[in-house]
Amino acid sequence: MPRGRKGTPQDSIDSILLAMSRRSDIDPDTLSHYIDRLDEEWTSGGREKVLHLLRTTDSRAHSAAALILSELATDFDLEELEDFVADPTVGDLAKLSLAPVLKDLDSELADDGIIDYLNDPEAAMLQMQLRLLELVGQSELGVESILEDVLSMPVERRLGFIGWLGGSQDPRAAKLLIPLLENQTSKVALAAMEALEQLGAAAAEESIPALNYLLTNSSNRQLKQQARVVLGRLTMLAPPGVSPEVLLELPLHEARVSFIDGAGAQMVMLAWNKPDGLLKGVNLLCQDEWGIKDCYGTDEMAMERWQDLVGNMDDQGFMSFEVPLDYCRALIVEARQQNKRARHKLPVAYAVWRPLIEAGAPSQKDAPAVVTMLEPQQFDAAMAPLVARGDELYNLPEFDPWLFDPFASLQPYIHDYLNLSAPSEHAGRKRKGTVKQTDVQKREREALVDRVLDKVIDTRWRLLYDTRLRRQAALFQLIGRAEEAELVSAVASALHPDSGVPLQQQPFLRALIHRSLERGLIHMMAEMLEHASLRSSPLNFFENGDDFSG
């Protein structure tokens, strides 16, 4: 079945392939239509015409063919693809272009298997590496894509590739080497440092800030010692004026954040204006017990597309608000520190996009004070009226996703709660016993909530949710919603273990447990679908929404 929007049936396969081989500005809807048309004609000559693109010497045609095959090729096509690779008249670069497709199809010719069918393996590898550097020079997305492949290599092959980058004397190689300084083994990071030193003055403008960043943020003594040595040598070689502050800075288009959900997760969304009128954008998912969990970026996005995506996220309940860039940077710094404390690796994509995020940022010493979490308030009698309204927080859409976490602690109580919520056998009959039975059910539900509060909430949980509430309150305050900020702050003061307020007397907690138990079955079903495709997740909102998988 076609997977995208309907297009004009007169579009010929030849015209589509020509457009995909020549144009780099095809919008997602048009690309979806092209893939649909190729799919319709796949077994009627479409596949053969795509493979013919690989017989040309045009690198753009090779890229177009590889993209199409990655979307449409199946096990049914594997034999023909393997025959194509085994054909000695086919160029080596064309064969190497098929390597990712063969790997996805679990072909025996994937990875090292393809080398036996290359006419001149050494020359082909060199040409492919040079083409990789061309891709690296185009955008952060190219860097991100290549790094994913590099990090999947066996360690020795990875080190060999890093060595080649250093020996290339190509300044674009630094864009691949610098992310390898972060969150990698000492062996890999040291090899990357050595390669940066080999690049010397050609890449000093990027290498020097990266090494200074490592000195400031790494706790590995061996890496810091070597970084000082390499930094000293590069500083001697660098052109005048190169300093840690030399970073590319683009005008900010917009900075947005979502509200914190009940699990402590928050999205940070940044976009910058490019000279060509398009946007660069990066989206980070942060979580207060993990740090930065995921990072996605895009290099070419129309402003209208950005606005549509923000609107679509709001419609899905993932509301976001425009905030100062310094606020976003402060959230990211805090999340990065949590990665370090919890010993969780930063996403590779973050290392790629970090220079853009931090471009033009003041030093920590000169940075303006940014409030990301309100100070704790001491609970007193004056706050009691606000605390009594704590359940009103669930009238705010920002608190709709707030459910008890970890949800597994509630599972033993869901069945009993839902049974107590079911209509009595007298429901619908106008008898005195009906009202009495309903009152009994309500009392039993409240008694069950009392027991749940005693069993599942401890001091650590109270402290964690206290901080989540105060972070939420700080964001309300930032966007000018002072009344909501005051209410949230008061609820947090009662939740703190030192407040002396019993759990059962906190309306917000009672509402939290009620809602969590009411949604118990739905939540369990959602957990079963947790590993569904990321294409359906609001996190990776830069991806085109069309599903090319079938």
Side-chain angles (χ1 to χ4, degrees), residues 3 16 20 30-40 67-69 71-72 548:
R3 291 174 292 271
I16 288 173
M20 294 184 69
T30 302
L31 182 61
S32 171
H33 165 57
Y34 285 171
I35 296 294
D36 286 341
R37 284 287 295 119
L38 288 164
D39 192 22
E40 292 168 3
L67 170 63
I68 296 166
L69 288 166
E71 298 290 353
L72 297 180
F548 293 144

Side-chain angles (χ1 to χ4, degrees), residues 329-388:
R329 284 173 170 161
L331 291 179
I332 293 169
V333 168
E334 291 175 0
R336 197 176 66 210
Q337 291 170 346
Q338 180 59 29
N339 282 90
K340 192 173 182 179
R341 284 192 296 269
R343 298 183 180 276
H344 290 142
K345 285 189 174 183
L346 286 160
V348 173
Y350 173 73
V352 174
W353 291 91
R354 179 185 59 75
L356 182 61
I357 294 170
E358 297 180 356
S363 65
Q364 291 186 2
K365 181 180 178 181
D366 300 326
V370 176
V371 177
T372 60
M373 180 169 64
L374 295 188
E375 290 295 323
Q377 295 192 42
Q378 189 74 28
F379 175 80
D380 55 27
M383 287 190 180
L386 282 174
V387 173

Side-chain angles (χ1 to χ4, degrees), residues 24 77 96-97 167 182 255 273 278 323 352 377 407 418 522 529 550:
S24 59
D77 307 300
L96 289 173
S97 298
E182 303 177 32
N273 294 305
L278 298 176
V323 295
V352 174
Q377 295 192 42
F407 179 76
L418 294 179
I522 296 175
L529 301 173

Side-chain angles (χ1 to χ4, degrees), residues 218-262:
S218 176
S219 57
N220 186 312
R221 294 178 62 185
Q222 182 185 14
L223 289 183
K224 293 177 77 168
Q225 182 178 357
Q226 185 61 23
R228 290 189 184 96
V229 173
V230 175
L231 185 59
R233 293 170 181 167
L234 288 178
T235 303
M236 296 293 292
L237 296 172
V242 173
S243 69
E245 288 75 32
V246 177
L247 289 168
L248 175 64
E249 185 175 1
L250 292 174
L252 180 71
H253 175 70
E254 193 171 33
R256 305 185 70 88
V257 296
S258 71
F259 278 93
I260 299 104
D261 70 10

